[in-house]
Amino acid sequence: MARACSGAGLGDGAVDSACFLASIVIAKGNVLAMNASDFLLQRLVDWGVKRVYGYPGDGINGLLAAFEKIEDKLEFVQVRHEEMAAFMACAHAKFTGEIGVCLATSGPGAIHLLNGLYDAKMDHTPVVAIVGQAATSALGGSYQQEVDLQTLFRDVSEYNATIASTPATRHVVDRAFRVAMGLRGVATIIFPKDLQEEAYTEPPRAHNTLHSGVGYSRPIVVPRASDLRNAANVLNAATKVAMLVGAGAKHAADEVVAIAERLQACCAKALLGKDVLPDDLPWVTGTLGLLGTRPSSDIMKECDALFMIGTNFPYSEFLPKDGSVPAVQIDIDPRYIGLRYPSTVNLEGDAYDTLHALLPLLQQKSDASWRERIAKNKEEWTKIEADRVHVSADPVNPQLLFWSLNEHLPDRAILTGDAGTPTNWMARHIMVRRGMKISLSGNLATMGSAVPYAIAAKFAFPDRCVIALPGDGAMQMNGLNELLTVRRYWKKWSDPRLIFFVLNNSDLNQVTWEERILSGSPRNLESQPLPDFAYAGFGESLGFIGIRVNHPEDVDRAWERALHADRPVVLEAIVDGNVATLPPHISREEAFNFLKGVRKDVNAVGAITESIKQLAAGVLPHS
């Protein structure tokens, strides 16, 4: 063991994995031999990992046994399904800026990870997935649960490697973490089950061996000085600069504000960038797109220059007309520069570093007239939204729940969204304050992210109030099962407030409205209705607080009770599915599609009635 304790090749500041594991003693006083699983888990600790989300299986038995020896340093969180483990790893990375880690067995368990891993891949989030594999002696023999994992994970992974010998554990783990962090994506470690329990030995100082170390420091990435000057020339020449910020600017909020103040610009946000800037700044117009606000849409129509920062916003129809105004784009990934809009100057670099270098080149503008007009536009839009929120519905207008939540939100709250109508209302009605966090599945836009995201947020920030905003479809898809995970762990959290707000309209409502407005089709009675379920009652059966709201006058009291609870809460609101999720501006084609589809709809009267009420509140069709 002396050789294993040398620590040769470890990075600066790293824990000597070999020495730590060699000192493990079981209750009888016998020294345990260090195996490859012991080394791998300690290496995770060396990389700063605090917890791993996963689900057991015989393909990872060696790793599970190793957790018993290192549980004081590394927590294993047992979820109900491997997909949820991948979602939680992704959410952990999004909310903390650290790397997320998930663990699954071979074959079926590994396959289950894919949806959550694609969520991480598409939102450029660092996640390491560790999966078991059939024993090396059986590989290639169509053994039970043997799947070609190298092929399976090839597309989703930036790095994808099978540990082929116990000394290789070291460099495979180190490279997986470094690649995931550096390329902001998924790295997959495939670990055959027999090697997990073999004795670990450090790679010898010999030919055909690697001697890797721990540690990664993100570099400063700044564009060329000439490109910065060209960008400054474009922005200095403009009088109405519209900014669009995304999740890539989250670590550069102060720099974004400084740039906006220098240019007297107005700023819209992509959905993943909703928490980059607080909404109480008068020149911040909210989210852009189908889920966006009218002021955000208007600044894109009126601007004479576009400045995109850290965003891969996909909907080009909401940006200025193709090539109509000059544009500057900042992104650290060249694959997404000049993709959504033909930018005049492309700045490949980190948002913080690039903005910091660009600011001295920008001229201070004094004309704030456009900003002031947009601020009035924003005030008018807020009044329109208030009118729409309080329009009567049967039994409750869903927007009222989000408006009330916004009024009651505690400081530093964390919110998680899903792929459904709740995210529409969250985008419109939740006004972000400095210190709050919001996230969801962005580019993949998969259903079922809100609940696992909220659980991961609670593990990462046990002292903060966390609120999940799923619809009834997402809860039935996978959310209900994961409440069992909360039941198991919630008493460990210093602040017990974890609220699952279920918007219950007994319909897959987002798709229903897409059918009506985008396709001109009626609500499909075979695909859209959902079975009735007592969400609040299910929460009570788990020992949580269950709250059911079906009257508008009960909404404020429900949020007050939930936000002062001493345990997790399932707040179920029975709402009207006929309240349309209207875009900020409605085209003639969309209005025509709606009328064509809804006339065949069995809910035609309700849908038309509620839509007329919403339109009367201030949103009218225009060409």
Side-chain angles (χ1 to χ4, degrees):
M1 295 300 294
R3 176 180 167 190
C5 287
S6 67
L10 291 176
D12 291 342
V15 175
D16 188 335
S17 306
C19 282
F20 174 83
L21 291 163
S23 67
I24 296 174
V25 179
I26 61 174
K28 293 182 180 180
N30 298 321
V31 177
L32 287 174
M34 179 178 60
N35 62 31
S37 292
D38 297 328
F39 178 86
L40 186 146
L41 294 191
Q42 177 57 39
R43 205 65 166 184
L44 300 189
V45 174
D46 295 347
W47 275 98
V49 178
K50 301 178 183 68
R51 69 185 55 85
V52 175
Y53 297 97
Y55 197 79
D58 71 328
I60 50 172
N61 275 347
L63 286 164
L64 296 173
F67 270 100
E68 297 178 10
K69 310 168 194 174
I70 201 171
E71 59 183 355
D72 60 325
K73 292 180 175 289
L74 186 65
E75 181 181 19
F76 176 81
V77 177
Q78 185 207 80
V79 301
R80 311 274 61 78
H81 190 286
E82 291 92 351
E83 180 183 3
M84 301 294 98
F87 275 135
M88 291 181 197
C90 178
H92 177 90
K94 286 182 176 180
F95 284 126
T96 66
E98 302 167 352
I99 201 160
V101 182
C102 55
L103 174 65
T105 188
S106 57
I111 293 168
H112 281 162
L113 290 176
L114 282 175
N115 195 43
L117 295 183
Y118 270 101
D119 183 32
K121 171 188 171 72
M122 295 179 69
D123 284 348
H124 317 295
T125 305
V127 168
V128 168
I130 304 169
V131 297
Q133 177 58 294
T136 55
S137 57
L139 284 175
S142 296
Y143 200 71
Q144 185 185 34
Q145 295 190 336
E146 181 187 352
V147 171
D148 183 357
L149 298 181
Q150 290 282 166
T151 299
L152 182 73
F153 288 101
R154 181 173 298 146
D155 179 65
V156 79
S157 303
E158 299 290 347
Y159 176 72
N160 177 22
T162 298
I163 296 174
S165 66
T166 56
T169 307
R170 179 168 143 184
H171 75 257
V172 170
V173 172
D174 290 345
R175 195 172 188 211
F177 273 80
R178 198 167 283 112
V179 169
M181 290 178 176
L183 298 184
R184 301 175 304 119
V186 175
T188 304
I189 298 170
I190 302 167
F191 203 176
K193 61 193 299 185
D194 56 331
L195 297 185
Q196 294 171 26
E197 299 180 356
E198 284 193 8
Y200 176 77
T201 57
E202 291 282 7
R205 185 175 175 81
H207 196 55
N208 297 324
T209 63
L210 297 173
H211 300 263
S212 61
V214 172
Y216 174 77
S217 179
R218 191 171 298 280
I220 294 174
V221 183
V222 183
R224 293 175 180 271
S226 59
D227 292 329
L228 290 168
R229 287 193 297 270
N230 290 338
N233 291 338
V234 169
L235 298 172
N236 286 333
T239 59
K240 294 181 289 186
V241 177
M243 299 173 68
L244 176 61
V245 299
K250 284 192 177 186
H251 65 304
D254 291 341
E255 286 65 35
V256 171
V257 171
I259 293 282
E261 295 289 5
R262 183 72 56 91
L263 297 173
Q264 293 294 301
C266 294
C267 187
K269 300 183 284 189
L271 187 56
L272 278 176
K274 185 170 173 61
D275 58 354
V276 171
L277 298 175
D279 285 305
D280 55 9
L281 295 171
W283 46 270
V284 173
T285 58
T287 49
L288 180 68
L290 290 168
L291 281 60
T293 69
R294 190 187 69 189
S296 290
S297 181
D298 288 346
I299 67 169
M300 293 297 158
K301 290 181 171 67
E302 298 176 12
C303 69
D304 58 8
L306 174 64
F307 190 9
M308 296 183 288
I309 306 169
T311 178
N312 186 32
F313 180 77
Y315 305 115
S316 299
E317 68 270 26
F318 289 96
L319 298 175
K321 187 177 179 181
D322 189 3
S324 61
V325 299
V328 174
Q329 182 177 1
I330 298 174
D331 204 294
I332 200 165
D333 193 330
R335 292 174 296 183
Y336 302 100
I337 289 181
L339 181 64
R340 311 300 184 191
Y341 188 87
S343 40
T344 311
V345 181
N346 294 315
L347 300 177
E348 183 181 340
D350 174 80
Y352 172 87
D353 300 328
T354 303
L355 292 175
H356 190 73
L358 179 63
L359 182 61
L361 304 177
L362 298 177
Q363 300 167 2
Q364 178 63 56
K365 297 183 186 297
S366 59
D367 184 359
S369 58
W370 187 54
R371 258 190 169 190
E372 292 166 358
R373 183 161 57 81
I374 292 299
K376 290 180 180 178
N377 185 348
K378 180 179 174 180
E379 291 176 3
E380 293 171 359
W381 174 252
T382 302
K383 292 176 182 177
I384 289 173
E385 291 287 86
D387 290 341
R388 292 173 62 189
V389 160
H390 292 94
V391 166
S392 62
D394 183 20
V396 181
N397 185 334
Q399 299 174 91
L400 182 62
L401 277 297
F402 291 83
W403 185 272
S404 177
L405 170 59
N406 186 63
E407 295 294 310
H408 290 87
L409 266 178
D411 291 337
R412 301 175 66 246
I414 302 174
L415 286 82
T416 65
D418 221 295
T421 53
T423 294
N424 291 41
W425 308 133
M426 178 191 75
R428 297 275 183 87
H429 300 305
I430 299 300
M431 299 292 106
V432 175
R433 304 195 300 273
R434 188 175 288 273
M436 289 173 54
K437 293 178 180 287
I438 294 180
S439 197
L440 72 163
S441 174
N443 286 288
L444 186 60
T446 178
M447 284 178 66
S449 63
V451 170
Y453 268 42
I455 294 171
K458 199 65 184 178
F459 272 106
F461 301 98
D463 61 333
R464 297 173 70 164
C465 179
V466 178
I467 305 169
L469 305 172
D472 45 5
M475 284 301 286
Q476 290 190 18
M477 177 178 281
N478 57 24
L480 291 170
N481 282 350
E482 219 53 47
L483 296 187
L484 295 170
T485 302
V486 178
R487 182 188 185 187
R488 176 170 180 169
Y489 292 106
W490 74 266
K491 292 183 180 178
K492 294 184 176 183
W493 302 325
S494 55
D495 183 336
R497 292 176 299 171
L498 175 53
I499 301 168
F500 301 95
F501 168 45
V502 185
L503 205 62
N504 184 354
N505 50 36
S506 299
D507 184 56
L508 293 169
N509 203 238
Q510 180 81 0
V511 174
T512 292
W513 279 102
E514 288 172 346
E515 288 176 344
R516 288 168 173 165
I517 294 178
L518 300 180
S519 303
S521 302
R523 178 173 180 255
N524 187 319
L525 295 182
E526 295 299 320
S527 68
Q528 299 313 107
L530 289 169
D532 189 30
F533 187 83
Y535 303 95
F538 181 65
E540 289 178 342
S541 75
L542 298 176
F544 304 163
I545 292 174
I547 303 172
R548 195 170 189 266
V549 176
N550 55 13
H551 297 289
E553 58 269 21
D554 295 334
V555 169
D556 285 338
R557 286 195 298 271
W559 278 120
E560 289 171 0
R561 183 183 174 197
L563 290 166
H564 289 87
D566 63 351
R567 64 194 63 205
V569 175
V570 178
L571 196 167
E572 174 188 2
I574 312 301
V575 299
D576 192 343
N578 287 316
V579 176
T581 54
L582 297 171
H585 289 296
I586 302 173
S587 68
R588 292 187 183 277
E589 181 182 4
E590 289 166 341
F592 176 76
N593 283 340
F594 170 67
L595 292 174
K596 182 177 72 170
V598 81
R599 67 181 181 177
K600 309 171 190 175
D601 205 311
V602 295
N603 293 326
V605 174
I608 292 174
T609 300
E610 292 302 325
S611 297
I612 290 173
K613 289 179 184 178
Q614 296 294 307
L615 293 171
V619 183
L620 298 173
H622 73 103
S623 59

